[in-house]
Amino acid sequence: MQHSRFSSMEAEEEGILEKKTNWRLGNHPGAGATAASLLTDDLILEILSHLPARSLHRFKCVSMSWRDLIADPANRNKLPQTLAGFIYTTISNNARHLHFAAVSGDGASSFDPCLPCMRPTKYKDMALMDACNGLLLYRGCCKNKVNPLSWAEHDCRFVVCNPVTRRWVELPPLPKPQAPASRHSTTSGLAFDPAVSSYFHVLCFEQAYFGTCITRVNIYSSRTGDWCQRDSGMVEKVALFFLSKCVFVGGMMYVIGSLDRMNVEYALLGVDMEGKVWTTIRVPYSRRLGTIGSSQGCLHYAIPPADDNNKILFSESAIWWLKDRHSKELVLKHTTSINKLMSMTGQRYKVVGMHPDCDTIFLVSYEHDTLVSYDMRHQKVGRILNLEKDHAQWFLPYVPLFSGSLAVADGQ
């Protein structure tokens, strides 16, 4: 069943902006053939810089000169960027290794996601935790000799960096615990939207021990340079998994958790950047775990549907989305067959990510050796990429940020 594209306020504003841009650039009925040629490249770039990435790329079709202008690497720091690829991990010899799978095909997205390439000695033990709009979040913790999985707040340190500009900032230590009891705080997320602000937030969730509900969140703001602690404001109690994936969209940080200690009913937890607004959202097929992501300004949730006998339909992918941050109900957006893909490769697939600008999903084979893009709107298989074969997992979308600097990184 195909569902229409959302028509949120953000989408309407984007449409208005694109129409205005068309008129300014001479792309409207009755415009003279040479209207756009009267504008200098600098003026065209200035106008295009105010468009979302998905609208910008549509303007590549105007002419060869416009395509070259938009694709020119020298102009990347002036124009919004779209998805370059996915950072993912493999595990071998009891160690995690970072890799990058490029999906844009423009040759400009290759980079080393390992923080040690910048400071080999100081940051060699830090692990990548999250990626958000061009910035990467790394975390390092002093291991507890009695219980290596027990990470106390004051043992942790964070680094946020931009791999394109090679600028980074080390965050101050987390606040010390308010009670002597050890707390687990393994789930951390990065919140950054360059279209709204040059500042970022880092959220670190706490719970007493694995299997118990969240008790509070620590929030770092690069605007203030300090951490603050906020107690959980949820009525429904949610427990997080080890290294649960976080997604920032619409001013809220979302993460998948469990509503019970037996991990048999899943839900989404959302919290704003001040730690004042908390929400829980029920997910479809709540006894099975899906994938969350951000696309077209909205939270999306992907999970294979089931038939009337509750049998999982691996030959289909269903995408649900949250219309706005005030809603507590996920609405079905797309259900599409991937039979063609499965017949081509002889493998089964699961969704691991969404394109931020269009109705394209990314699937990885259950054998963990291929990543595939799939256009849900036109039912087309896109690029098929070979991955490292040591159990590829933990996929993070990466959009390069060529302009701006970390707001608190001056002097580093």
Side-chain angles (χ1 to χ4, degrees), residues 52-54 76 159 168 177 258 324 347 353 409:
R54 63 178 177 271
R76 289 198 184 104
V159 169
W168 71 93
S258 172
D324 60 72
Q347 297 182 343

Side-chain angles (χ1 to χ4, degrees), residues 28-49:
H28 60 86
T34 61
S37 64
L38 299 177
L39 301 176
T40 65
D41 287 352
D42 288 342
L43 185 55
I44 294 174
L45 287 172
E46 172 63 25
I47 296 173
L48 294 178
S49 68

